[in-house]
Amino acid sequence: AVDTVSRDGIHKVVTVWREDFRPANGAFNDYFGFKVLDPEDALSKMLIDYSSKVLDATGLYNGAANLEAVFLEDEQTPCLMEVNARWAGLGWTDGYAVEEKCVGTNQISATFDAFLDPVAFEQMPAVRPIKEHGGLVFGVNYVSGILKGIPAVAAAEKCASYYSTSILCTVGKPL
């Protein structure tokens, strides 16, 4: 995915993400995680160029956009899955925290700059460089039952790279 913000047809890239979707629990594309990609990598550059062309072709000249594409290995080209004329995902607070840490801002703040602070938008780099590597990991449950614990969280919290946890289930409650 490529998260962008635009003003008067000038597109700026906030973050490029590698989305890990896999089949699970009857869904063909369950979330397993996201990883911030280095915008200097060849794949990232290709996705950024492609996304800018999509924004122009669809007439998205102002505001935030979240573009999702898959890379077609056989054709060596991106293929658009969806373009959202909004900032990335609802309930994406952990994602914005990762963006902030990895590139120094997040898509919501960049969008406000695009609309309300033309000088800040002009000073924003065309593609935000990566300052730190980061990502999000989603736990996928394969069986129903009562959640007895989440021991991996305590282990993760001890890691120097740990940032936060957002748990959408409660120990002692059914999954």
Side-chain angles (χ1 to χ4, degrees):
V2 179
D3 291 345
T4 66
V5 62
S6 303
R7 180 185 175 95
D8 299 326
I10 305 297
H11 310 302
K12 309 272 180 130
V13 173
V14 179
T15 311
V16 181
W17 296 93
R18 162 76 168 89
E19 300 178 342
D20 182 3
F21 291 114
R22 289 181 255 161
N25 298 320
F28 75 94
N29 63 344
D30 210 347
Y31 286 109
F32 279 74
F34 292 82
K35 177 184 175 185
V36 174
L37 295 180
D38 186 339
E40 293 300 315
D41 290 345
L43 175 61
S44 294
K45 287 181 178 185
M46 187 181 303
L47 291 170
I48 290 166
D49 181 59
Y50 181 77
S51 295
S52 182
K53 291 173 183 173
V54 169
L55 292 171
D56 288 341
T58 56
L60 294 174
Y61 300 125
N62 291 289
N66 167 257
L67 299 101
E68 300 198 13
V70 294
F71 187 74
L72 304 174
E73 293 288 340
D74 292 345
E75 299 177 32
Q76 290 295 295
T77 188
C79 176
L80 184 67
M81 297 303 289
E82 64 183 28
V83 58
N84 302 292
R86 58 160 172 76
W87 46 62
L90 299 172
W92 183 238
T93 53
D94 289 338
Y96 293 126
V98 171
E99 279 186 338
E100 188 84 35
K101 191 82 170 160
C102 292
V103 301
T105 193
N106 64 65
Q107 194 181 27
I108 294 174
S109 296
T111 301
F112 279 101
D113 284 347
F115 283 122
L116 303 174
D117 191 343
V119 173
F121 180 78
E122 187 174 309
Q123 292 173 348
M124 190 183 307
V127 178
R128 293 204 65 91
I130 193 170
K131 295 168 39 178
E132 293 186 36
H133 294 275
L136 295 121
V137 177
F138 293 76
V140 177
N141 183 54
Y142 290 98
V143 296
S144 61
I146 303 298
L147 180 63
K148 293 183 179 180
I150 313 170
V153 172
E157 288 172 340
K158 293 176 184 173
C159 295
S161 61
Y162 172 82
Y163 184 75
S164 72
T165 300
S166 176
I167 299 174
L168 304 176
C169 54
T170 305
V171 173
K173 298 287 182 177
L175 294 172

